[in-house]
């Protein structure tokens, strides 16, 4: 569920990026709703990932650290643990931005584009890092 909500977060963030590029009277309500959806999806991914990390990751972590790819935890998981906080803040900030008149205010529109663009790029990076961490556990199992 953690990865699924993360992927949905990325897809909806990209959708909002395109909608804001083409801001008009017809899509303001949709953009505002989608921005709330982005925040909800990110919080769900964050809470589910945190729950899994606290309750289930310790054995996998030990396996990864003893295997041939310890960087999967030492570099990637440690990075994910810190970068996720930035993404949560950006996702929470986005509905506040969307409550402004982004159609006519170029500064707000620009900030929304930068925010959603960063969220997409960081989200894709997080998904990739998660895949490598998972592969680190598989490689460790194969090595034993």
């Amino acid at each position: 569920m953690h990865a699924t909500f993360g992927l949905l977060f990325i897809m909806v963030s990209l959708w909002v990026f395109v909608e804001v590029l083409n801001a008009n009277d017809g899509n303001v309500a949709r953009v505002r709703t989608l921005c709330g959806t982005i925040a909800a999806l990110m919080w769900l991914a964050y809470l589910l990932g945190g729950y899994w990390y606290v309750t289930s990751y310790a054995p996998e972590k030990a396996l990864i650290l003893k295997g041939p790819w310890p960087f999967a935890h030492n570099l990637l998981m440690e990075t994910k643990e810190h970068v996720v906080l930035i993404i949560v803040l950006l996702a929470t900030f986005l509905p506040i931005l969307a409550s402004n008149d982004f159609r006519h205010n170029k500064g707000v529109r620009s900030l929304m584009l930068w925010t959603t663009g960063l969220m997409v790029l960081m989200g894709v990076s997080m998904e990739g890092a998660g895949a490598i961490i998972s592969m680190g556990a598989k490689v460790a199992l194969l090595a034993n």
Side-chain angles (χ1 to χ4, degrees):
M1 291 305 295
H2 163 69
T4 301
F5 284 127
L7 186 57
L8 289 171
F9 160 80
I10 294 166
M11 292 169 41
V12 177
S13 295
L14 184 58
W15 183 3
V16 168
F17 182 88
V18 173
E19 291 280 0
V20 172
L21 273 176
N22 302 299
N24 59 57
D25 292 338
N27 70 355
V28 172
R30 181 172 49 245
V31 167
R32 289 181 176 152
T33 300
L34 290 172
C35 287
T37 303
I38 287 170
L41 288 169
M42 186 60 229
W43 275 99
L44 284 168
Y46 174 62
L47 293 172
L48 288 170
Y51 177 78
W52 171 81
Y53 184 85
V54 169
T55 61
S56 304
Y57 182 64
E60 192 171 332
K61 175 183 172 181
L63 184 66
I64 292 169
L65 291 175
K66 290 179 185 174
W69 287 13
F71 70 90
H73 173 80
N74 291 336
L75 176 64
L76 298 175
M77 183 58 89
E78 293 293 333
T79 301
K80 280 184 71 164
E81 291 170 9
H82 295 87
V83 171
V84 71
L85 297 175
I86 297 168
I87 301 173
V88 169
L89 288 172
L90 289 174
T92 304
F93 176 58
L94 193 59
I96 298 168
L97 274 175
S99 68
N100 291 287
D101 184 13
F102 59 89
R103 290 167 303 165
H104 301 109
N105 188 329
K106 188 175 180 177
V108 172
R109 186 169 52 251
S110 178
L111 194 52
M112 287 182 74
L113 290 171
W114 276 102
T115 301
T116 53
L118 281 171
M119 290 188 314
V120 168
L121 291 175
M122 286 192 288
V124 168
S125 297
M126 297 287 267
E127 288 282 341
I132 294 171
I133 292 163
S134 179
M135 186 59 75
K138 291 174 187 173
V139 168
L141 286 171
L142 289 173
N144 292 332

